[in-house]
Amino acid sequence: MQSDMKTPLLAGSSSDASKPLPRCPGGPVIGIIGSGDFSRSLAIRLVACGFRVVVGSRDPHRIPRGMFPDGVELRSQREAVDGAERVVFVAVYPEHYYTLVGLRELLAGKVLVDVSNATRLNSGEQSHAERLAELFPESRVVKGFNVISAWALQAGAYDGSRQVLVCSDCSHSKALVLQLARCLGFSPVDLGGLCGSRDIEEAPLILFPSWGGPILAVFLLFLFFYGYSFVRHILLPYLDRGENNFHQLPLVTVNETLPAVALVTLALVYLPGLVAAVLQLGRGTKYKRFPGWLDRWLCRRKQLGLLSFLCTLLHAVYSMCLTLRRAAGYTLLNAAYQQVKAGVEKSWVESQVWRSDLYLSCGILGFGVLSLLAVTSLPSVGNTLSWREFTFVQSGLGYVALTLSIMHTLFFGWDFAFFPGAYPYYLPPVYLLALILPCVVLVGRLLLALPCLTSRLAKIRRGWESERHRPPQ
Amino acid sequence: MQSDMKTPLLAGSSSDASKPLPRCPGGPVIGIIGSGDFSRSLAIRLVACGFRVVVGSRDPHRIPRGMFPDGVELRSQREAVDGAERVVFVAVYPEHYYTLVGLRELLAGKVLVDVSNATRLNSGEQSHAERLAELFPESRVVKGFNVISAWALQAGAYDGSRQVLVCSDCSHSKALVLQLARCLGFSPVDLGGLCGSRDIEEAPLILFPSWGGPILAVFLLFLFFYGYSFVRHILLPYLDRGENNFHQLPLVTVNETLPAVALVTLALVYLPGLVAAVLQLGRGTKYKRFPGWLDRWLCRRKQLGLLSFLCTLLHAVYSMCLTLRRAAGYTLLNAAYQQVKAGVEKSWVESQVWRSDLYLSCGILGFGVLSLLAVTSLPSVGNTLSWREFTFVQSGLGYVALTLSIMHTLFFGWDFAFFPGAYPYYLPPVYLLALILPCVVLVGRLLLALPCLTSRLAKIRRGWESERHRPPQ
Amino acid sequence: MQSDMKTPLLAGSSSDASKPLPRCPGGPVIGIIGSGDFSRSLAIRLVACGFRVVVGSRDPHRIPRGMFPDGVELRSQREAVDGAERVVFVAVYPEHYYTLVGLRELLAGKVLVDVSNATRLNSGEQSHAERLAELFPESRVVKGFNVISAWALQAGAYDGSRQVLVCSDCSHSKALVLQLARCLGFSPVDLGGLCGSRDIEEAPLILFPSWGGPILAVFLLFLFFYGYSFVRHILLPYLDRGENNFHQLPLVTVNETLPAVALVTLALVYLPGLVAAVLQLGRGTKYKRFPGWLDRWLCRRKQLGLLSFLCTLLHAVYSMCLTLRRAAGYTLLNAAYQQVKAGVEKSWVESQVWRSDLYLSCGILGFGVLSLLAVTSLPSVGNTLSWREFTFVQSGLGYVALTLSIMHTLFFGWDFAFFPGAYPYYLPPVYLLALILPCVVLVGRLLLALPCLTSRLAKIRRGWESERHRPPQ
């Protein structure tokens, strides 16, 4: 058995370093200086993974019993550093690093892990880890574990689903910490020398880095459509005829804006794919990189899609609340009064009935399809799909949703756009503006589905190149 | 420590082969022929897991800098094959395999991993891997990794949540690739010899294999109820009295069909469990296998349940949009006109008020319970439940949802079914038809809850057998 | 390479025991007595992880072919025990343990794993594992694997996401089983000696242990508000004036109760955090533990938040169904009749229109924010957030949702609370009662946001202590 496996594949890589450690007494002793939340959670995880832990506190007698798990020794900072076999975590706030200077000799030769976070972005200051390295020149400072919260340490999964960013100038010590992170059930990522520590310290400060652009785009779209709708329906009629429609601001105008934003955003999900296909067709090769903006846009499609779904959901809820509005009640009562006064026994316009049922149906079905898309973008559901299934859902069903949304808007518009009354102050209705981009995307997609273009694109994506790109033979 | 663990349990199994490899330089060199998306993603993952990678391209100078991560060497195909220690991935489209024939000698003795997919189902052709094995008789061909997408390679989890299907005629080489897949954070599955490679290549082509049957069943139910409703409400009245109800087609008829489909599908979720229990009771043993159709049906309950929930959700949205319909407005206006004409000051039918509030309440509560069921069927939520909790939710709450749905339908029907007017053209209303199966299931469940049957079933499920099954002592 | 890694960190911990076992033939032989569902699933998982398995049945010839996977040997119980190298799983119902007494000599020295569950709570009986240990005094009994369902064994993930609770009086045997659990892809938890086996056996019986308190709290709140509303709107008017409002019971009263419950529950999510901050401020240190009830309350915030969301969701659905009610139709018709009789051409109260649109808007937006919160509490979504993102969503957005919900209620109340008519029988309206606690929480949060308190709290949370707590220098 042993001999079978002594293959070249493994000869260079097999080492004791990578073995997960058993959860049993007898593991190596890890030191932690500091006795705060992070220290406690780190100790819990270390013990759970079979390490022995010694925690050094300024005043170990004041720590309540039971705060640290069994198997953790609570000592003075000096004793803890002395007892640690090789690795010492510094779980002390950076402003107190100087208080540890007295331990300098004891810490010499040991691996100090700096787990601190930056308190603000782009401060341009020296990183905490670099300062620690200056304070303890004979120790080997490794930056790491700061992106993991105390909660994730204590209660998170052991399945490597969380990354630990690590950097150090000492590759031996770094290898040790990378391995330790893996033993604790994390995915370590080696980010090079200690000069990268500032970035690691600032990493936890950046909230939702992939959502900034999409949220800004949707917000600007919302501002535009809301402003346009405000000017067209409320401001101009008020200036012109003194008509008071301001009561539409909180709900009616919002509910006119949301579907426009949702529709345009949905088109923005599928536009970059078309642009990429056109670029590849035009260039005749797939081996040229896309421009940066297109790459970033392609990477933000999921976020755009989810924001579009959120707008759609809000639009659906707003619409279903429309009949709850007092204004809707008044309108109906006044219409009843008019009907009675006019003596119309049965009011019924067949085409209006068809129109309302058709746009409601398309809207509901489109919403249902978008819901399926949203569910499959949950990580745990998406993981169960193969890549073809994922493509089928996100691209196939996505275009179905786009088509249903466009039909929903078209049926809603009916033939009203063909009457001059739909253009007060020469301003077209909101839904017409919102239809432009989605229709462009849909037509573009249909054009790309022409057999001549499809087959050429398929060839290019399988590695074929047009003549001008081929290397001279 | 070492001696403690030298137990028989481990003696046969401990080997260097299974160790996860450290993410540090010095790992073995893996070769990849081809420089497309799959090659790039595979290289990223290999490097992240501590391997050294050499990629062979037809024209390495034309590949943009930064496309491959640091640590990947870009070379000609010949150099790459030469540099690879043992394993070479063939990430080239099958139609270009013949271009590699010149490398035959260099590839001799190496492990070639074929990662290609089939392009269509049941073609009956030779698999790509078998063709590769014919082209390179002195190499050891292993099929694998094709079910993993480029995206999953690059950005997916390292937690073994994704399977890699592997087969080969050389068990040594297969063991190597199985182990490599484990090192990369996947769950390898050994599917035997290379004769199984066609199945592996076709695996990614089959979309949602477990959903086909349930979707077909729901679709047929929808067709049946929609057709029935169309004939009863629209076609026959039109032929008979020339009544034009066609405007009901897009929304009203759909919203009459959806709850019927949802209810029958929900009954179909619980019917196979009853059938299985009856079979076990009748046979007096649990050691006989169920017939195949019942096994398959039992395996599809989750899918049926989710489809039932989808129909319920659509029914809820459709219903909440009912008052938005123009037709609803006309109906109300005309009723107001009639009331004024008739001089009725206060119209109010207490029983109708109770009926509508009761069926709405039951419907909403049933929908709420079904939502809980749907949430617990998300993989990440279901994983946190113990099996008793899962049973409680899926079986206990499931029957609550079924009961509430039946009550929703009964209150909706009220006493109308007892008047001849409910049977135009001798056709019973849709909701009566939809109630049959759910009521059978509910009554069956109640019968099985009789103490005598429950205790006998519990005994059987704990391994007791009736006399005729017991082996002669 | 090898020498690099022979560091003190690893010297004490590296052992062959912790290596995952390869999935290839040649693994150690594990025995299983019993051939039921659990036995089958366990065998499937053992084989998948590279072990050889021998299953012992009372009558191995009666087990259908294909029930156990290839690689499992089906034998008599005696042969199976004989063939097992060291570990034997006892997958037989506890009431049949006595039938194994004949195997006592063969089982001597082997590790018996008891996988049985308790059938009821707090029975005070001897545990099954202890009984097994009495029956086989020369074997080493380990309790474990009972919390894993057959389904999880067969189809669950291999990523250590599921815990296996283990206890035994023999630490050697326990270490072996802990390690075996890790090899099978579970997270073993060592719970000490066999005296803890009763707790392990009862663990699967306790349903949703973290949900009991929150559900009880929400249920009591519901009872209180429903009862109050019943007395105020239905009982007293009936006793007083004989007014029959009983038709409001199933829907209207419920829909008045649900938002009150949702709002108070949402306040209960944020109250314990405030109490904890006040305690820390008052004590001037974070090194004193919170009282037990506060700790438990802090641990239940997620459950309370989800229950609040459920109530909000039901309230939203109930409200959107309000216009579907027959009673709503009657009310509108009667209003139309009155309007016609009174000859009012245009009924329109601008302030009422604003009121309804504003409270609907706030409600919808609050519901949208709560939905985001609910989505991020799904395990698979929450895992992708950093702790700062999680805090931003759960605390920042949470207070936004609370504020929007309070505004929703205030706009709903408008100025009606200032008229005596709002206090029939001196009882204030439900929404006023429901506002008390949320307003207290919001005001408390705003007070804590005062710069002097914020900075002091931040200092305390970074480890600063007021003078009276500092140890004498």
Side-chain angles (χ1 to χ4, degrees):
Chain A
M1 190 74 196
Q2 292 272 344
S3 57
D4 280 0
M5 291 299 181
K6 286 266 181 220
T7 61
L9 171 66
L10 294 157
S13 71
S14 67
S15 82
D16 287 7
S18 59
K19 284 188 242 161
L21 301 163
R23 294 185 195 184
C24 56
V29 180
I30 307 275
I32 307 177
I33 305 179
S35 55
D37 292 340
F38 193 89
S39 166
R40 185 169 75 107
S41 302
L42 183 61
I44 288 172
R45 190 151 189 132
L46 284 165
V47 166
C49 292
F51 294 93
R52 283 177 291 166
V53 176
V54 52
V55 169
S57 163
R58 278 170 302 165
D59 193 355
H61 306 295
R62 295 188 49 244
I63 294 170
R65 263 185 62 87
M67 184 173 153
F68 283 89
D70 292 346
V72 170
E73 285 182 74
L74 266 171
R75 293 288 162 82
S76 72
Q77 292 186 336
R78 178 163 293 275
E79 288 166 331
V81 171
D82 203 34
E85 281 181 33
R86 180 144 182 189
V87 174
V88 176
F89 283 87
V90 183
V92 160
Y93 284 104
E95 57 262 38
H96 302 134
Y97 280 177
Y98 70 92
T99 64
L100 307 177
V101 169
L103 307 169
R104 196 178 276 166
E105 279 146 56
L106 276 172
L107 285 169
K110 299 211 163 154
V111 177
L112 291 192
V113 186
D114 180 307
V115 301
S116 63
N117 287 313
T119 46
R120 56 206 163 107
L121 278 174
N122 306 320
S123 64
E125 291 162 12
Q126 200 187 24
S127 74
H128 302 319
E130 284 163 331
R131 200 143 58 75
L132 197 69
E134 276 184 17
L135 284 171
F136 301 94
E138 288 172 59
S139 305
R140 295 154 182 197
V141 172
V142 179
K143 177 85 219 173
F145 284 93
N146 62 310
V147 292
I148 301 287
S149 70
W151 185 85
L153 276 169
Q154 197 178 331
Y158 288 73
D159 57 0
S161 63
R162 282 180 182 272
Q163 291 189 328
V164 168
L165 311 179
V166 176
C167 73
S168 173
D169 287 339
C170 168
S171 60
H172 267 206
S173 309
K174 186 164 61 179
L176 206 66
V177 174
L178 288 170
Q179 164 203 349
L180 181 62
R182 212 171 298 117
C183 292
L184 295 179
F186 297 113
S187 275
V189 178
D190 181 351
L191 290 187
L194 209 56
C195 53
S197 57
R198 183 75 209 172
D199 287 341
I200 297 183
E201 288 175 7
E202 288 184 355
L205 292 183
I206 302 164
L207 292 178
F208 300 104
S210 60
W211 285 86
I215 286 178
L216 183 69
V218 168
F219 182 69
L220 290 178
L221 277 175
F222 186 90
L223 273 193
F224 168 72
F225 282 114
Y226 192 85
Y228 183 85
S229 195
F230 170 69
V231 168
R232 183 172 181 273
H233 285 303
I234 297 173
L235 191 65
L236 289 179
Y238 179 70
L239 296 176
D240 195 22
R241 286 170 273 138
E243 211 177 296
N244 178 0
N245 292 332
F246 287 97
H247 65 86
Q248 296 184 354
L249 278 176
L251 204 146
V252 178
T253 311
V254 171
N255 195 32
E256 193 175 49
T257 307
L258 280 173
V261 175
L263 190 53
V264 175
T265 309
L266 192 60
L268 289 179
V269 174
Y270 293 101
L271 188 54
L274 288 186
V275 174
V278 168
L279 269 183
Q280 287 182 336
L281 276 176
R283 289 167 167 182
T285 176
K286 70 163 184 177
Y287 294 109
K288 267 197 189 165
R289 299 198 84 178
F290 294 132
W293 57 267
L294 186 57
D295 259 344
R296 281 192 298 279
W297 193 356
L298 285 165
C299 289
R300 295 292 174 269
R301 286 180 290 182
K302 178 179 170 179
Q303 284 79 10
L304 285 168
L306 287 174
L307 288 173
S308 171
F309 175 68
L310 183 67
C311 291
T312 308
L313 179 67
L314 284 176
H315 168 54
V317 177
Y318 270 114
S319 300
M320 291 191 287
C321 289
L322 280 180
T323 50
L324 290 175
R325 299 168 60 234
R326 185 55 63 106
Y330 290 142
T331 309
L332 209 63
L333 289 178
N334 297 334
Y337 180 88
Q338 295 302 333
Q339 180 166 346
V340 172
K341 286 291 143 209
V344 181
E345 192 176 339
K346 187 157 194 290
S347 60
W348 187 271
V349 184
E350 185 82 6
S351 72
Q352 286 302 308
V353 168
W354 275 94
R355 166 186 170 255
S356 85
D357 281 17
L358 283 174
Y359 83 71
L360 286 173
S361 287
C362 290
I364 294 168
L365 292 178
F367 175 68
V369 174
L370 274 183
S371 304
L372 290 182
L373 289 175
V375 167
T376 55
S377 66
L378 288 173
S380 66
V381 177
N383 272 340
T384 64
L385 303 183
S386 77
W387 62 271
R388 278 181 69 93
E389 290 167 349
F390 191 79
T391 307
F392 170 77
V393 169
Q394 294 294 334
S395 175
L397 287 190
Y399 272 104
V400 170
L402 185 65
T403 311
L404 282 169
S405 304
I406 290 176
M407 285 170 62
H408 171 61
T409 317
L410 287 174
F411 280 127
F412 176 80
W414 207 239
D415 61 352
F416 300 155
F418 305 131
F419 298 104
Y423 300 86
Y425 320 104
Y426 307 104
L427 293 173
V430 170
Y431 67 84
L432 270 194
L433 294 185
L435 273 175
I436 298 171
L437 196 64
C439 287
V440 168
V441 169
L442 201 62
V443 169
R445 185 71 194 80
L446 290 174
L447 285 179
L448 279 179
L450 291 177
C452 55
L453 292 178
T454 311
S455 66
R456 188 178 155 95
L457 196 60
K459 267 200 308 187
I460 289 173
R461 291 200 172 153
R462 301 207 108 196
W464 177 89
E465 299 186 78
S466 75
E467 294 213 347
R468 63 198 148 108
H469 292 289
R470 271 181 232 153
Q473 300 292 325
Chain B
M1 188 74 199
Q2 292 273 343
S3 57
D4 280 358
M5 291 299 184
K6 288 265 179 222
T7 60
L9 170 64
L10 294 157
S13 70
S14 66
S15 83
D16 285 9
S18 60
K19 283 188 244 161
L21 299 164
R23 294 186 195 183
C24 56
V29 181
I30 307 275
I32 308 178
I33 305 179
S35 56
D37 291 340
F38 193 87
S39 166
R40 186 167 75 107
S41 303
L42 182 61
I44 289 172
R45 191 152 189 131
L46 283 166
V47 166
C49 292
F51 294 93
R52 284 177 291 165
V53 176
V54 52
V55 168
S57 166
R58 278 171 302 166
D59 192 355
H61 305 295
R62 293 187 48 243
I63 293 170
R65 262 183 64 84
M67 186 174 152
F68 283 88
D70 292 347
V72 170
E73 285 183 75
L74 266 172
R75 294 287 163 83
S76 71
Q77 292 186 338
R78 178 165 293 275
E79 288 165 331
V81 170
D82 202 32
E85 281 182 30
R86 178 142 185 189
V87 174
V88 176
F89 282 88
V90 183
V92 160
Y93 285 105
E95 57 261 39
H96 302 135
Y97 281 175
Y98 70 93
T99 65
L100 307 177
V101 169
L103 307 168
R104 195 177 276 165
E105 280 145 56
L106 277 173
L107 285 170
K110 299 213 163 155
V111 176
L112 290 192
V113 185
D114 180 305
V115 300
S116 63
N117 287 313
T119 45
R120 56 209 163 104
L121 278 174
N122 306 322
S123 65
E125 292 162 12
Q126 197 186 26
S127 75
H128 302 318
E130 284 163 333
R131 200 143 57 76
L132 196 69
E134 277 184 16
L135 284 172
F136 301 94
E138 288 170 61
S139 306
R140 294 152 184 200
V141 172
V142 178
K143 178 85 216 173
F145 284 92
N146 62 311
V147 291
I148 300 288
S149 70
W151 185 87
L153 275 170
Q154 195 177 333
Y158 289 75
D159 58 359
S161 61
R162 282 181 181 274
Q163 291 189 328
V164 167
L165 312 179
V166 176
C167 73
S168 174
D169 287 340
C170 167
S171 61
H172 267 207
S173 309
K174 186 163 63 177
L176 206 67
V177 174
L178 289 169
Q179 164 202 349
L180 181 62
R182 213 172 297 118
C183 291
L184 295 179
F186 297 113
S187 275
V189 179
D190 181 352
L191 290 188
L194 209 56
C195 52
S197 57
R198 183 76 208 170
D199 288 341
I200 297 184
E201 288 173 7
E202 288 183 357
L205 292 182
I206 302 163
L207 292 178
F208 300 103
S210 60
W211 285 86
I215 286 178
L216 183 69
V218 168
F219 181 70
L220 291 177
L221 276 175
F222 187 90
L223 273 193
F224 168 72
F225 281 115
Y226 193 85
Y228 182 85
S229 195
F230 170 70
V231 167
R232 184 171 180 274
H233 285 304
I234 298 173
L235 192 64
L236 289 179
Y238 178 72
L239 297 176
D240 194 22
R241 287 168 272 139
E243 212 176 296
N244 178 2
N245 292 331
F246 287 97
H247 65 86
Q248 296 185 354
L249 277 177
L251 205 145
V252 178
T253 312
V254 171
N255 195 33
E256 193 174 50
T257 308
L258 280 173
V261 174
L263 191 54
V264 175
T265 309
L266 192 60
L268 289 180
V269 174
Y270 293 100
L271 187 54
L274 288 186
V275 174
V278 169
L279 269 183
Q280 287 182 334
L281 276 175
R283 291 165 167 185
T285 176
K286 70 163 184 178
Y287 293 109
K288 267 197 188 165
R289 300 199 84 177
F290 294 133
W293 57 267
L294 187 57
D295 258 343
R296 281 192 299 277
W297 193 357
L298 285 165
C299 289
R300 295 293 175 267
R301 286 179 290 179
K302 178 179 169 177
Q303 283 78 10
L304 285 169
L306 286 174
L307 289 173
S308 170
F309 175 68
L310 182 68
C311 291
T312 308
L313 179 67
L314 284 176
H315 168 55
V317 178
Y318 270 114
S319 300
M320 291 191 286
C321 289
L322 280 180
T323 50
L324 290 174
R325 299 170 59 236
R326 186 53 66 105
Y330 290 141
T331 308
L332 210 62
L333 289 177
N334 297 335
Y337 181 87
Q338 295 302 333
Q339 181 166 347
V340 172
K341 287 290 145 211
V344 180
E345 192 175 343
K346 188 158 194 291
S347 60
W348 188 271
V349 184
E350 185 82 6
S351 72
Q352 286 303 307
V353 169
W354 274 95
R355 166 187 170 256
S356 86
D357 281 18
L358 283 174
Y359 84 72
L360 286 172
S361 287
C362 290
I364 295 169
L365 292 177
F367 175 67
V369 174
L370 274 183
S371 304
L372 289 183
L373 289 175
V375 167
T376 55
S377 66
L378 288 173
S380 66
V381 177
N383 272 340
T384 65
L385 303 183
S386 77
W387 63 270
R388 277 183 70 93
E389 289 167 350
F390 191 79
T391 308
F392 170 77
V393 169
Q394 294 294 335
S395 175
L397 288 190
Y399 271 105
V400 170
L402 184 65
T403 311
L404 282 169
S405 305
I406 291 176
M407 284 170 62
H408 171 63
T409 317
L410 287 175
F411 279 127
F412 176 82
W414 207 241
D415 61 351
F416 300 156
F418 305 132
F419 297 105
Y423 301 87
Y425 320 104
Y426 306 103
L427 293 174
V430 170
Y431 66 85
L432 270 195
L433 294 185
L435 273 174
I436 298 169
L437 196 65
C439 288
V440 167
V441 169
L442 201 61
V443 169
R445 184 71 195 77
L446 290 174
L447 285 178
L448 278 179
L450 291 177
C452 55
L453 291 178
T454 310
S455 66
R456 188 178 154 95
L457 195 59
K459 268 200 307 187
I460 289 172
R461 291 197 172 156
R462 303 207 108 197
W464 176 90
E465 299 187 77
S466 74
E467 295 213 349
R468 63 200 148 105
H469 292 288
R470 269 180 236 156
Q473 300 293 326
Chain C
M1 189 75 197
Q2 291 274 344
S3 57
D4 281 358
M5 291 300 181
K6 286 268 180 223
T7 61
L9 171 65
L10 294 158
S13 71
S14 67
S15 83
D16 286 7
S18 58
K19 283 187 245 163
L21 299 163
R23 294 186 195 183
C24 57
V29 180
I30 307 276
I32 308 178
I33 307 179
S35 54
D37 292 339
F38 193 89
S39 166
R40 186 168 75 107
S41 302
L42 183 62
I44 288 172
R45 189 151 189 133
L46 283 166
V47 166
C49 292
F51 294 92
R52 284 177 289 166
V53 177
V54 53
V55 169
S57 165
R58 279 170 300 167
D59 193 355
H61 306 295
R62 295 189 46 244
I63 294 169
R65 261 184 63 86
M67 185 174 153
F68 283 89
D70 291 345
V72 170
E73 286 182 72
L74 267 172
R75 294 287 163 82
S76 72
Q77 293 186 335
R78 177 165 294 274
E79 288 165 330
V81 170
D82 203 33
E85 281 182 32
R86 178 140 184 188
V87 175
V88 175
F89 283 87
V90 183
V92 160
Y93 285 103
E95 57 262 38
H96 302 135
Y97 280 176
Y98 70 93
T99 64
L100 307 176
V101 168
L103 308 169
R104 195 177 277 166
E105 278 146 57
L106 275 171
L107 285 169
K110 300 214 163 153
V111 176
L112 290 191
V113 185
D114 179 305
V115 300
S116 63
N117 287 312
T119 46
R120 57 207 161 107
L121 278 173
N122 306 319
S123 64
E125 291 164 11
Q126 198 186 26
S127 75
H128 301 319
E130 285 164 331
R131 200 143 57 77
L132 197 68
E134 276 184 17
L135 284 171
F136 301 94
E138 288 172 61
S139 306
R140 293 154 186 198
V141 172
V142 179
K143 178 84 218 174
F145 285 92
N146 61 311
V147 291
I148 301 287
S149 69
W151 186 86
L153 275 170
Q154 195 177 333
Y158 288 75
D159 58 359
S161 62
R162 284 183 180 271
Q163 291 190 327
V164 167
L165 311 179
V166 175
C167 73
S168 174
D169 287 339
C170 167
S171 60
H172 268 205
S173 309
K174 185 164 62 178
L176 207 67
V177 174
L178 288 170
Q179 164 204 348
L180 181 62
R182 213 172 294 118
C183 293
L184 295 179
F186 297 113
S187 274
V189 179
D190 180 352
L191 290 187
L194 209 56
C195 53
S197 57
R198 183 75 207 172
D199 288 341
I200 296 183
E201 289 175 5
E202 288 184 356
L205 291 182
I206 302 164
L207 292 177
F208 300 103
S210 61
W211 285 87
I215 286 177
L216 184 68
V218 167
F219 181 70
L220 290 177
L221 277 175
F222 187 89
L223 273 193
F224 168 72
F225 282 115
Y226 193 85
Y228 182 84
S229 196
F230 170 69
V231 168
R232 185 172 179 272
H233 287 304
I234 297 172
L235 192 64
L236 290 179
Y238 179 72
L239 297 176
D240 194 23
R241 288 169 272 139
E243 211 177 296
N244 178 1
N245 293 330
F246 287 98
H247 65 87
Q248 297 184 353
L249 277 178
L251 203 146
V252 178
T253 311
V254 171
N255 195 33
E256 194 174 49
T257 307
L258 280 174
V261 175
L263 190 54
V264 174
T265 310
L266 192 59
L268 289 179
V269 174
Y270 293 100
L271 189 54
L274 288 185
V275 173
V278 169
L279 269 183
Q280 287 183 334
L281 276 175
R283 290 168 167 182
T285 176
K286 70 164 184 177
Y287 293 109
K288 269 197 188 163
R289 300 199 84 177
F290 295 133
W293 57 268
L294 187 57
D295 259 344
R296 281 193 298 277
W297 194 355
L298 285 164
C299 289
R300 294 296 175 267
R301 287 180 291 181
K302 178 179 169 178
Q303 283 78 11
L304 284 169
L306 287 174
L307 288 173
S308 170
F309 175 69
L310 183 67
C311 291
T312 308
L313 179 66
L314 284 176
H315 168 53
V317 177
Y318 270 114
S319 300
M320 292 191 287
C321 290
L322 280 180
T323 50
L324 290 174
R325 299 168 60 233
R326 184 54 65 106
Y330 290 141
T331 308
L332 209 62
L333 289 177
N334 297 335
Y337 180 86
Q338 295 302 334
Q339 180 166 347
V340 171
K341 286 289 145 213
V344 180
E345 191 176 342
K346 188 160 195 290
S347 61
W348 186 273
V349 185
E350 185 81 7
S351 72
Q352 286 303 308
V353 169
W354 275 94
R355 166 185 171 258
S356 85
D357 280 18
L358 283 174
Y359 84 72
L360 286 172
S361 288
C362 290
I364 294 168
L365 292 178
F367 174 67
V369 174
L370 274 182
S371 305
L372 290 182
L373 289 174
V375 167
T376 55
S377 66
L378 289 173
S380 66
V381 177
N383 272 340
T384 65
L385 303 183
S386 77
W387 63 270
R388 278 182 69 93
E389 290 168 349
F390 191 80
T391 306
F392 169 77
V393 169
Q394 294 294 335
S395 174
L397 287 190
Y399 271 104
V400 170
L402 184 64
T403 311
L404 283 168
S405 305
I406 291 177
M407 284 170 62
H408 171 63
T409 316
L410 287 175
F411 280 126
F412 176 81
W414 206 240
D415 61 351
F416 300 155
F418 305 132
F419 297 105
Y423 302 86
Y425 321 104
Y426 307 104
L427 292 174
V430 170
Y431 65 85
L432 270 194
L433 294 185
L435 274 175
I436 298 170
L437 197 65
C439 287
V440 167
V441 168
L442 201 60
V443 169
R445 184 71 195 78
L446 290 174
L447 285 179
L448 279 179
L450 290 178
C452 56
L453 292 178
T454 310
S455 65
R456 189 180 154 93
L457 195 59
K459 268 200 306 185
I460 290 172
R461 289 195 173 157
R462 301 206 107 198
W464 176 89
E465 297 187 78
S466 75
E467 295 214 346
R468 63 197 148 106
H469 292 290
R470 269 180 234 156
Q473 299 292 325

